[in-house]
């Protein structure tokens, strides 16, 4: 095995050498350019590589027109309209003046083209700007670094970089002015992380004492082909000596990053221009098609059918009309231009084509453009929403996908990540256990509780004051100014808003109040060690307990990648002294971060050392007893050291260790300095770091212990992994027994921590002897230099090291819930959204967080699917089948209950079980179970599983899914979902980059969905319906006319009006309404989340509505046609004098129709309608006065002017719209009174005075918010007596007659307060089980039946009975195990003996028993009383 | 400076001084926060009720007014197509075609049972004549009719196949002109004393003023029309060239009002066109007294091939045009329906309105 590792590398190398001549494919070889005469030389091996000039424009001046048109014609609608316009050029079939018919198409195309051109020009300009930035490139001729433009940089060039410079290309770091050969970069532009990252000089140039001389460089770099993985770089450098050194991402400086804290660095360009990782990561905005649009496309298709039917009808009519005249051609049937007589059939065929042109308006040319405009406006308004703006991070919502805003209003399932999404991802050290002893840190817990209070107060203050010190962002990308048009720009070209969220620890993370007991022990231990060191005693004499403690803290301190930095500006010190108040503290942190990025921070380390030294002296020699107060000590400590960590957990642990005086002082690539009490500073030689990855779920450092001089491996990781790697103690010795006990105890504590919702980590140690380590190191280095399959090799290598560990202890870190998460989840759930949480955390932690954020309710059943025992293969599948079997007997998986009904059942499933559940054969069953649960929690799930779950739900249930997450592990889930939302939080920008919308906080999801989603959806749905109506109505006017013109395709509407009607006259009001209309106010929408369901059920736009609209359109057009028809029947009116009133009437009708459908009239609406009417008349008057001989055939000279003098015109314009709109108006009025849907009631609520409304809404939260109803009866604000109210409630809860009867029975028994068990049993055996708890829970909401808190026993008895029964069906036996956690009783289900190894735990909370009924009930009751009184008052 | 975007793969370029970044905080304006003051009508029976009643109350009187006005208009129609054997024009209608050169005359007696007081408008009405046919409507050359010399000599393609006749341009070209109504109608009052008095018919003032003075113009003014139309030929179906339509030079050629009226194509297949106006002489004598009349027709225009009908209509007019009771009836109907619906809504409102009308 050891030798085998070498194999693949050699092999690939050999292969590569053989393949030298044909341009090899797998890797890129980079030589230094200066080795070759001039950079352009033929022999330069780098000449094939892309240079650094970037060009992101799509078009050139010449290619713009063809290319843009080509792109536009990809849209089918455009092709269709151009086809129609071209059809007009055929004389036999033309309907309009061909040039005129082209106008709308040309207009639409040119608007789009101008937009594209402008965007492209912007890109061009910024390309140019970037291409012409300066950088220093080594010139062979001049023998020095010369200023050059970025675009002139080539692969193989040497570049000198100064502090605060932006990297022009991907550069391999060869030299740094930093004494430790480090270079710090800020990668905010790439991943949004603002902390500094260290990059190392390539190892072979590490020892270079003098300045790097490019002329002496003669190595060759082999690395992988350009790819877009920011976190991967593999390759090696071959020196002339033949030595090879591995290159990794730590050696690569990426384009777009900024050099910080490093005076000067030199590197060689590896990838340039479009091949840099930054450029390869460019994905344009995402285009998705929304559900509404898909629905709309179906109706567009129907429109085409209607169009064809109408054309066909007319064509047949024309054929028959011609046929009736026979051979005698009447004078008005004009021969074709060449004087030929057309047969009726031929005429019919020609006419068919003509009619397609005449009726083309039916397929609305402006619909697609209008939708785009409206969506852009909607995105603009969402951007502008103050409520979605996070002051703390100065970031607001970003819409990255522009065309799915309305999908936000139709979501049905939310899949959420936990860490960082629901929680703050701000880690606070809470508890730890060392060597089997638990240190509860009570004082710490108390203090944190206090902080939380302060925190909330402080936030309030800040939101009022709004004078939060903002970070100095002078060196960062600036965001678009607040000017509307520029925001509009970013809407068109969504840019990644650079996260200004910093990774700075909040005070809580820093301040840990040490546990007195533990602190004593640490002190004791270290003093002993100090003593031993002085007396040169071997350290092993230390008792293992104490050794564990000190090792535990050393592990906390060094087993991480935390970077130490210290602000050395005077300003900081000032604030630090005042830092006892947390708000100041916070601002000081902000200050720090800006100072950090300042150029003058280069001397940080030296200063730091001095400072720290004095500080530590003070501490060590003062002999002050350790203060348990915490405040003073933290004050002293604070500001002197700052830790920056990639993950907040790490920082929390380091700060925790520091509280025990075990502080990390300095971290260099090969050395970590730790300061310990009594012992002072210890330098640990850092031999190796095995970074954290999600498969291993642990990280390790290999150090040489300065005291024992042993090679020690410290490992930190998830408890499940570490526990498996613990060296199995030999049970023989007492030591072994003790170890076993420790492991056992630690596991117990871990369970407890997890039950508290803490994140647990295990700390372990391993002492390795030198030979062993050397052997390992050799293999590891081989693995590191491998190009092929390096990951696997490294993984194996890490595995070899991290075995036989000695458990030191465990920590519990609290991840606080974000503000407003429980409220948001509650209201989203009330809105009918199913919320699933998919997390990688362990089950207990996840369950507890779920309780904390009210995802799971103590009242609800919890169905836990996990595998306690190791299972494999078929057995598992079988087991799974049988597990689901009882579940399937539950009635709710049957179809008669809607998928959105809410049940009192929660499902918890872990990753390994999920893997089986997602199997093809089981996914349906899994879904059936999951659907019937009120909430689903998947823990320990991998990113792939997350996306599989989303995909499964989305595809199988045909529902709209939203995935929300903040980290890289959520990306796949976000991409799979219909709408992906990223939290622009603490874990970088990958999630944001993949998302459609990026939110600063989880709680903003509420407003985004409930308000903006609802608005966007209802606005757009109404607009689309209106569009269809409008066009159908207008076109059918002409259709009716065909009956009176011999089906000849004649139109009484002037062709100008016909063509510009959609484009100009009726365009603006609908755009305004589509953008601004609000059916219900934001406040009401948020207070009554139920209103969201209208979007989920697509209530604003159902298929029948399209047809209703069509029928209404036909009716209205009949009215608009026949009233003028009869009014002018048998008169001397001419064609266009008759057609113009009809056009006017149609326009007025259409506008008034919009008025009926408009819910909110602002001045903008009035203005737009007035503008529309004015525009029509102005255009008509000008048009009719402009030219007496033009505009054949209508020649409308003076028509409008004449009409305006005719009283008949006004009479017609009054009566016709009224007659046309009467049915709709009447219908709307009746609908409003007789069948008020929730949205209407919401609107009525809006009309109430603010305080009354608030009262009602406050009540409705109780009465309406009961999540029990299959179809939530809407807030009925009627004056019903309590009884009828009650009845109504019951009716809505009980789906069927039987359940109603059962309900009655249940309420009766409940009332009596005594339950005879047999009866109960019978009832529940005969009935279907799971409705029972929901009924019981329903009772509180029915007024007359106070539930019985005093009878905890029967329900659980009955439930377990039910369980038993159902399980017996599937040949399983039940045994009740002792509860693990006091709040829940778990039922251990062992399967039948033949599958004895498989067991599944169904755990359910015992609902009534421990529920504090007394506290819940009175609230409900008083609320109901209040409502009653309100009713009577009303 | 424009913000650069990551999408373009661009790195931000900040100015030398950096400067303060405008805050990203959205402005708290009513417009941006979508809080514009608004009127939010809620359509319920209660709120809509008044509108229905008001519409009803306004429309019904208007309707009655219109109906009365329309009823006061006197109108008399006489069909002279000659479909019936008994009709005096039967013979003319039977053997007549466009190409026949022999005029056929017939006279129709009729009796007016009431006197017509104000100006009487004499229309001819055609039924089943599709003047609105798509190809028919287009078949004209407006610039030729406007006196354009070039168009006169080279009529537009739209006129095909009525643009050229025996290699001469047709003036006026096109199917509309070609099919111009060419019956001559004369009206005689049979005085009780036995004499037959011809009623003077005014042939001018029947077309739109703008048509006569702006849209239609003779080539080269109204002087010497035959010379102006030199080199053109008459439409195929016409008996006389265009400059012989009338003797009055102000009503001849393209600006002949009968021609202009005909060129304004009717909207519907049954239409009437103003033929003559019988001017009222003085206030004492009615324009057309009660009594017997004779309509003398020179029957030129064939309509039987397409089942057409020809009528003569004598009508007075009011401010709202000719006799048409429809609009009055429509107003009354719509008004009544509104009123009725209002009542229905009132009932609904009383029965169900309180259920959710929380505002009250």
């Amino acid at each position: 095995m050891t030798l085998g590792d070498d194999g693949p590398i050699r092999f690939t190398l050999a292969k590569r050498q053989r393949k030298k001549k044909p341009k090899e494919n797998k890797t890129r070889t980079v030589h230094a350019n200066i080795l070759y005469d001039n950079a352009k030389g033929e022999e330069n091996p780098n000449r094939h590589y892309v240079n650094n000039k970037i060009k992101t424009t799509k078009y050139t001046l010449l290619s713009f027109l063809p290319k843009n048109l080509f792109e536009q014609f990809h849209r089918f609608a455009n092709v269709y309209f151009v086809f129609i316009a071209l059809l007009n050029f055929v004389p036999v079939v033309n309907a309009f003046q061909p040039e005129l018919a082209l106008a709308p198409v040309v207009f639409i195309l040119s608007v789009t083209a101008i937009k594209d051109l402008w965007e492209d020009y912007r890109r061009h300009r910024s390309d140019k700007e970037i291409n012409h930035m300066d950088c220093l490139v080594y010139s062979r001729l001049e023998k020095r670094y010369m200023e050059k433009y970025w675009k002139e940089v080539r692969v193989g060039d040497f570049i000198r970089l100064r502090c605060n410079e932006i990297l022009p290309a991907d550069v391999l770091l060869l030299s740094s002015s930093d004494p430790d050969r480090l270079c710090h970069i800020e990668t905010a532009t790439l991943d949004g992380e603002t902390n500094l990252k260290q990059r190392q000089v390539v190892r072979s140039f590490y020892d270079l004492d003098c300045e790097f001389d490019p002329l002496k460089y003669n190595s060759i770099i082999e690395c992988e082909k350009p790819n877009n993985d920011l976190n991967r770089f593999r390759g090696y450098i071959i020196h002339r000596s033949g030595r090879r050194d591995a290159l990794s991402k730590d050696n690569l400086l990426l384009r777009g990053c900024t050099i910080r804290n490093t005076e000067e660095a030199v590197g060689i360009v590896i990838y340039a221009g479009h091949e840099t990782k930054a450029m390869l990561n460019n994905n344009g905005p995402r285009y998705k098609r929304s559900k509404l649009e898909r629905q709309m496309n179906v109706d567009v298709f129907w429109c085409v059918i209607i169009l064809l039917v109408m054309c066909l009808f007319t064509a047949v009519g024309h054929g028959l009309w011609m046929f009736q005249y026979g051979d005698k051609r009447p004078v008005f049937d004009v021969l074709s231009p060449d004087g030929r007589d057309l047969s009726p059939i031929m005429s019919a065929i020609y006419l068919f084509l003509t009619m397609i042109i005449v009726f083309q308006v039916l397929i609305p040319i402006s619909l697609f453009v209008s939708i785009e405009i409206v969506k852009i406006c909607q995105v603009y308004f969402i951007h502008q929403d103050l409520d979605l703006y996070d002051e703390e991070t100065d970031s607001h919502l970003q819409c990255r996908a522009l065309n799915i805003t309305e999908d936000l209003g139709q979501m049905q399932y939310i899949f959420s990540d936990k860490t960082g999404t629901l929680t703050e991802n701000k880690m606070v050290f809470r508890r730890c256990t060392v060597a089997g002893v638990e240190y509860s840190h009570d004082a710490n817990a108390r203090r944190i509780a206090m902080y939380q209070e302060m925190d909330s107060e402080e936030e309030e203050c800040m939101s009022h004051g709004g004078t939060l010190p903002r970070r100095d962002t002078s060196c960062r990308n600036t965001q678009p100014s607040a000017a509307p048009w520029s925001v509009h720009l970013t809407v068109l070209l969504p840019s990644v808003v650079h996260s200004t969220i910093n990774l700075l620890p909040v005070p809580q993370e820093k301040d840990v109040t040490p546990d007195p007991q533990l602190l004593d022990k640490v002190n004791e231990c270290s003093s002993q060690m100090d003593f031993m060191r002085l007396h040169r005693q071997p350290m092993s004499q230390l008792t293992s307990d104490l050794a564990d403690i000190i090792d535990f803290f050393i592990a906390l301190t060094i087993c991480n990648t935390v970077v130490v930095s210290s602000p050395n500006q005077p300003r900081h010190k000032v604030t630090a002294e005042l830092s006892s108040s947390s708000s100041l503290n916070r601002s000081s942190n902000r200050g720090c971060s800006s100072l950090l990025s300042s150029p003058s921070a280069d001397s940080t380390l030296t200063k730091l050392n001095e400072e720290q030294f004095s500080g530590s002296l003070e501490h060590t020699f003062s002999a002050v007893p350790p203060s348990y107060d915490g405040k003073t000590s933290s004050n002293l400590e604070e500001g002197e050291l700052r830790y920056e960590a990639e993950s907040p957990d790490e920082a929390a642990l380091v700060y925790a260790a520091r509280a025990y005086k075990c502080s990390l002082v300095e971290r260099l690539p090969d050395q970590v300095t730790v300061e310990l009490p009594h012992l002072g500073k210890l330098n640990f030689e850092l031999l190796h770091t095995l970074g954290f990855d999600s498969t291993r779920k642990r990280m390790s450092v290999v150090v040489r212990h300065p005291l024992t001089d042993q090679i020690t491996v410290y490992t930190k990781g998830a408890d499940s992994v570490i526990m498996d790697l613990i060296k199995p103690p030999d049970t023989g010795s007492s030591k072994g027994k003790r170890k076993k006990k420790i492991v056992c105890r630690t596991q117990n504590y871990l369970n407890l921590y997890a039950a508290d919702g803490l994140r647990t980590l295990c700390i372990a140690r391993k002492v390795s002897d030198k030979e062993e380590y050397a052997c390992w190191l050799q293999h590891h280095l081989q693995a590191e230099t491998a190009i092929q399959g390096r990951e696997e090799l490294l993984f194996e290598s890490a595995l070899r090291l991290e075995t036989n560990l000695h458990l030191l202890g465990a920590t519990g870190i609290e991840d606080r819930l974000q503000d407003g998460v429980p409220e948001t989840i509650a209201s989203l759930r009330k809105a009918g959204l199913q919320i699933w949480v998919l997390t990688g955390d362990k089950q207990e932690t996840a369950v507890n967080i779920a309780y904390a954020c009210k995802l799971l309710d103590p009242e609800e059943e919890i169905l836990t699917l996990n595998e306690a025992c190791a299972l494999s293969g078929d057995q598992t599948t079988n087991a799974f089948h049988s597990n689901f079997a009882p579940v399937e007997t539950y009635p709710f998986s049957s179809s008669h209950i809607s998928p959105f009904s809410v049940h009192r059942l929660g499902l918890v499933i872990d990753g390994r079980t999920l893997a089986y559940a997602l199997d093809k054969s089981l996914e349906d069953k899994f879904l059936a179970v999951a659907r019937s649960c009120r909430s689903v929690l998947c823990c320990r799930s991998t990113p792939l599983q997350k996306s599989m779950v989303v995909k499964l739900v989305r595809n199988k249930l045909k529902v709209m899914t939203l995935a929300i997450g903040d980290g890289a592990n959520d990306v796949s889930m976000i991409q799979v979902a219909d709408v992906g939302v990223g939290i622009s939080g603490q874990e970088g920008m990958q999630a944001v980059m993949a998302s459609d919308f990026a939110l600063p906080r989880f709680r903003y999801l509420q407003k985004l969905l409930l308000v903006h989603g609802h608005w966007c959806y209802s606005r757009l749905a109404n607009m689309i319906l209106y569009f269809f109506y409008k066009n159908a109505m207008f076109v059918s006017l002409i259709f009716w006319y065909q009956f009176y013109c011999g089906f000849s395709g004649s139109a009484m509407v002037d062709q100008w009006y016909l063509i510009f009607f959609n484009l100009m006259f009726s365009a603006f009001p609908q755009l305004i309404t589509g953008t601004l209309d609000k059916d219900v106010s934001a406040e009401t929408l948020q207070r009554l989340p139920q209103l969201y369901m209208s979007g989920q059920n697509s209530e604003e736009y159902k298929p029948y509505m399209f047809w209703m609209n069509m029928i209404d359109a036909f009716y209205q057009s009949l009215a608009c046609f026949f009233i003028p028809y009869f009014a002018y029947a048998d008169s001397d009116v001419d064609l266009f004098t008759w057609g113009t009133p009809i056009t006017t009437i149609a326009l007025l009708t259409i506008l008034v129709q919009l008025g009926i459908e408009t819910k909110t009239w602002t001045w903008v609406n009035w203005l737009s309608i007035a503008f529309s009417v004015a525009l029509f008349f102005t255009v008509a008057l000008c048009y009719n006065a402009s030219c007496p001989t033009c505009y054949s055939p209508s020649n409308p000279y003076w028509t409008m002017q004449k009409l305006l003098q005719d009283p008949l015109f006004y009479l017609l314009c009054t009566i016709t719209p009224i007659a046309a709109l009467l049915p709709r108006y009447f219908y709307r009025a009746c609908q409003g009174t007789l069948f008020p849907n929730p949205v209407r009631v919401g609107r009525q609520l809006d009309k109430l005075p603010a305080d009354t409304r608030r009262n009602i809404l406050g009540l409705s939260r109780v009465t309406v918010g009961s999540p029990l109803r299959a179809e939530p009866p809407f807030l009925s604000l009627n004056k019903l007596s309590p009884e009828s109210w009650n009845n109504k409630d019951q009716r809505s809860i009980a789906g069927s007659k039987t359940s109603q009867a059962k309900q009655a029975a249940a309420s009766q028994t409940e009332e009596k307060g005594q339950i005879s068990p047999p009866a109960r049993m019978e009832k529940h055996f005969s009935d279907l089980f799971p409705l029972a708890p929901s009924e019981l829970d329903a009772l509180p909401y029915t007024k007359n039946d106070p539930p019985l808190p005093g009878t905890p026993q029967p329900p659980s008895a009955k439930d377990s009975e039910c369980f038993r029964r159902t399980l017996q069906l599937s040949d399983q036996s039940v045994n009740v195990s002792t509860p693990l956690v006091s709040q829940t009783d778990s039922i251990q289900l062992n399967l039948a003996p033949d599958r004895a190894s498989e067991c599944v735990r169904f755990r359910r909370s015992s609902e009534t028993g421990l529920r504090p009924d007394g506290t819940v009930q009175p609230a409900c009751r008083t609320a109901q009383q209040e409502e009653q009184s309100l009713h009577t008052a009303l | 400076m424009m913000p650069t975007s990551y999408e373009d793969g661009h790195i931000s370029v900040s100015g030398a001084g950096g400067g303060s970044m405008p805050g990203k905080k959205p402005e708290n304006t009513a417009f941006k926060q979508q809080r514009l003051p608004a009127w939010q009508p809620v359509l319920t029976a209660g709120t809509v009720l008044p509108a229905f009643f008001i519409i009803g109350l306004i429309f019904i009187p208007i309707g009655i007014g219109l109906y009365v006005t329309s009823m006061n208009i006197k109108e008399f129609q006489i069909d002279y197509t000659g479909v019936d054997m008994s009709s005096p024009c039967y013979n003319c209608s039977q053997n007549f075609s466009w190409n026949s050169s022999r005029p056929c005359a017939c006279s129709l007696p009729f009796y007016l049972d009431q006197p017509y007081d104000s100006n009487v408008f004499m229309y001819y009405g055609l039924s089943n004549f599709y003047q609105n046919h798509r190809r028919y409507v287009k078949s004209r050359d407006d610039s030729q009719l406007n006196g354009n010399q070039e168009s006169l000599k080279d009529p537009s393609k739209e006129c095909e196949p009525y643009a050229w006749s025996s290699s001469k341009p047709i003036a006026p070209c096109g199917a509309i002109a070609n099919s111009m109504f060419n019956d001559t109608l004369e009206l005689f009052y049979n005085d009780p004393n036995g004499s037959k008095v011809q009623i003077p018919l005014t042939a001018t003032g029947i077309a739109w003023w703008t048509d006569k003075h702006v849209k239609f113009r003779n080539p080269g003014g109204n002087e010497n029309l035959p010379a102006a139309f030199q080199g053109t030929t008459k439409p195929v179906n016409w008996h006389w060239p265009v400059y012989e339509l009338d003797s009055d030079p102000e009503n001849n050629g393209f600006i002949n009002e009968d021609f202009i009226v005909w060129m304004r194509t009717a909207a519907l297949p049954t239409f009437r066109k103003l033929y003559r106006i019988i001017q009222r002489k003085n206030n004492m004598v009615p324009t057309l007294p009660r009594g017997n009349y004779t309509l003398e027709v020179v029957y030129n225009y064939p309509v039987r091939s397409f089942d057409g009908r020809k009528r003569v209509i004598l009508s007075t007019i009011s401010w709202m045009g000719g006799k048409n009771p429809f609009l009055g009836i429509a107003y009354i109907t719509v008004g009544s329906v509104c009123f009725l619906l209002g009542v229905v809504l009132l009932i609904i409102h009383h029965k169900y309105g309180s259920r959710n009308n929380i505002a009250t």
Side-chain angles (χ1 to χ4, degrees), chain B residues 121-184:
Chain B
F121 289 75
M122 184 176 174
Y123 299 89
Y124 59 90
L126 293 174
S127 301
N128 236 348
F129 190 101
Y130 287 88
Q131 240 201 337
N132 53 15
H133 191 285
R134 183 172 59 90
R135 289 203 298 276
Y136 182 86
V137 170
K138 282 200 299 188
S139 188
R140 63 193 284 164
D141 185 345
D142 280 315
S143 75
Q144 191 193 46
L145 298 174
N146 198 32
N148 186 307
Q149 291 287 354
E150 279 162 38
S151 299
L152 186 73
K153 299 282 189 269
D154 182 21
S156 120
K157 273 211 310 284
E158 299 288 347
C159 286
E160 295 284 4
Y162 303 104
W164 297 84
S165 171
S166 55
S167 69
K168 274 186 178 175
I170 295 177
C173 74
I176 309 177
N178 190 41
S179 61
M180 185 181 158
F181 181 80
N182 55 2
D183 283 359
T184 314

Side-chain angles (χ1 to χ4, degrees), chain A residues 1179-1350:
Chain A
V1179 167
L1181 286 173
C1182 295
Y1183 167 56
N1184 287 355
S1186 59
C1187 173
T1189 58
C1190 323
Y1191 317 122
S1192 170
S1194 57
N1195 199 352
Y1197 188 71
W1198 226 249
T1199 305
M1200 194 47 134
Q1201 284 81 347
K1202 191 99 173 167
L1203 277 170
L1204 287 179
Q1205 296 160 18
D1206 186 1
L1208 200 61
F1209 176 73
Y1210 298 100
L1211 286 172
L1212 278 175
C1213 287
T1214 319
I1215 187 171
T1216 316
I1218 287 175
L1221 292 167
L1222 212 54
R1224 177 170 283 259
Y1225 198 53
F1226 182 70
Y1227 169 72
R1228 288 273 178 237
C1230 287
Q1231 197 187 31
T1233 305
L1234 297 177
F1235 328 102
N1237 63 2
V1239 174
R1240 286 180 165 269
V1241 179
R1243 297 185 56 198
Q1244 290 191 329
L1245 272 177
D1246 278 342
K1247 298 211 69 166
L1248 297 181
D1251 46 342
T1252 325
R1253 178 172 60 202
R1254 216 154 286 145
N1255 279 339
I1256 292 173
L1257 287 175
L1259 292 172
S1260 70
R1261 194 177 278 194
V1262 180
T1263 52
V1264 188
S1266 124
L1268 303 170
R1269 295 158 191 178
E1271 190 184 87
F1274 197 72
L1275 162 77
S1276 46
L1277 296 151
N1278 44 6
K1279 293 169 187 163
L1280 291 177
S1281 64
E1283 282 79 20
S1284 57
W1285 162 265
N1286 197 1
N1287 288 338
K1288 192 174 175 241
D1289 237 8
Q1290 286 183 356
R1291 219 180 305 128
S1292 58
I1293 295 162
S1296 61
K1297 252 188 180 171
T1298 51
S1299 55
Q1300 208 170 355
K1302 189 172 57 181
Q1303 163 121 10
S1307 51
Q1308 270 175 12
T1309 43
E1310 293 278 307
E1311 247 176 330
K1312 279 179 206 151
Q1314 285 180 336
I1315 295 101
S1316 57
R1320 250 189 179 275
M1321 294 284 215
E1322 204 182 320
K1323 181 171 73 94
H1324 282 284
F1325 288 152
S1326 58
D1327 278 318
L1328 303 164
F1329 160 64
L1331 274 178
S1334 65
E1335 279 152 26
L1336 288 175
D1337 292 336
L1339 290 172
Y1341 299 89
T1342 61
K1343 203 232 148 208
N1344 283 344
D1345 314 316
L1348 298 175

